[in-house]
Amino acid sequence: MGRKATVSAMETTKLHIIETAENLFRQIGYAKTTVTDIAKTLGMSQANIYRYFPSKASINEAICDRLVHHIESQCWESLVRDGSSTDRLKRFILEYHRTVKDNIIKEKRLYDMVSVAMDEHWSVIQGHSDRIEDLMRIIIEQGISSGEFRAVNSSKMAKAVHESLAVFVYPSLLEHGINDEKNGNGQDSLEEELGQLLDLILHGLSSAST
């Protein structure tokens, strides 16, 4: 009983550290937030913070992991509704784009960290990419089984589709698109451009196109 209580207390403290750091990242940005700031806000010593996280980088990764899991849960909800594999893949990709876009607008300082995580190949980003591609692979395989999609290597196709979406889901690239959209430079909106890419992807997957 005592061990369970100790483990629970440690997990609670870790969560408080993560939540406090995340709030500071929102206020002043993750690059400017120090372990000293986190410790001071919590009324703890830096040494105590390091009992739970070996470095600031490990705190960054824990927060980044929370952010990408939030994105995934939003995308997952789009798959709950019924529909053809074409409908489900389209909904999934649109929700993926919208979730990242909305959070960049609302939480720019936090998503600056996601951009760095992608540039520096943090392990949490690789895990996120693998999970997104796995969900798309499942949808593609269901479409192949139903005869809606032509026979393809589902894993390679899911990876190719995911990589083709970079400008619509990669925070640093997407931010440029958001700024262009705000400035009204006469180009199609981001979602219109994504719709055109989706038409191309879905046409290429369709069994009717073979």
Side-chain angles (χ1 to χ4, degrees):
M1 182 73 178
R3 179 174 172 76
K4 286 184 179 179
T6 301
V7 171
S8 177
M10 289 181 68
E11 289 302 316
T12 298
T13 301
K14 283 187 74 172
L15 183 59
H16 284 161
I17 293 170
I18 291 169
E19 289 175 341
T20 299
E22 188 173 311
N23 286 332
L24 286 168
F25 289 2
R26 283 192 177 95
Q27 294 167 28
I28 60 177
Y30 98 97
K32 292 182 179 179
T33 301
T34 65
V35 174
T36 301
D37 295 327
I38 298 167
K40 186 182 295 184
T41 303
L42 283 165
M44 297 168 63
S45 66
Q46 286 189 61
N48 206 16
I49 298 288
Y50 288 126
R51 284 183 57 206
Y52 298 92
F53 293 95
S55 64
K56 185 192 167 188
S58 63
I59 300 175
N60 296 347
E61 290 208 9
I63 294 170
C64 189
D65 194 47
R66 278 161 59 102
L67 294 175
V68 297
H69 273 92
H70 170 69
I71 292 170
E72 292 160 29
S73 67
Q74 293 292 105
C75 295
W76 178 257
E77 287 179 14
S78 72
L79 299 179
V80 174
R81 301 192 301 279
D82 291 333
S84 66
S85 295
T86 297
D87 291 338
R88 295 172 76 240
L89 185 58
K90 188 172 184 176
R91 279 203 309 263
F92 180 83
I93 291 172
L94 283 170
E95 188 59 39
Y96 188 19
H97 163 69
R98 288 167 183 165
T99 301
V100 177
K101 180 183 175 183
D102 289 349
N103 281 281
I104 286 174
I105 293 169
K106 294 174 186 174
E107 302 280 10
K108 184 184 182 308
R109 283 175 170 157
L110 279 179
Y111 274 75
D112 284 345
M113 179 178 62
V114 178
S115 293
V116 171
M118 288 181 166
D119 290 340
E120 297 181 356
H121 307 291
W122 293 7
S123 60
V124 292
I125 295 299
Q126 185 58 58
H128 167 67
S129 294
D130 290 345
R131 290 187 296 272
I132 289 288
E133 288 173 16
D134 198 46
L135 286 170
M136 289 197 286
R137 175 188 59 78
I138 291 169
I139 301 170
I140 291 168
E141 287 178 353
Q142 289 170 342
I144 295 169
S145 295
S146 68
E148 190 177 342
F149 294 158
R150 64 189 177 88
V152 295
N153 182 310
S154 58
S155 296
K156 289 183 178 179
M157 182 60 75
K159 184 175 181 63
V161 171
H162 190 205
E163 290 178 351
S164 75
L165 300 174
V167 72
F168 300 102
V169 298
Y170 194 108
S172 58
L173 296 176
L174 181 52
E175 191 173 357
H176 287 298
I178 291 170
N179 291 334
D180 287 343
E181 201 171 50
K182 284 180 181 176
N183 294 333
N185 58 8
Q187 296 180 345
D188 289 340
S189 71
L190 282 167
E191 203 149 308
E192 287 173 331
E193 291 177 5
L194 178 55
Q196 292 164 9
L197 176 60
L198 281 171
D199 284 345
L200 183 62
I201 291 169
L202 294 170
H203 178 75
L205 277 170
S206 173
S207 59
S209 66
T210 57

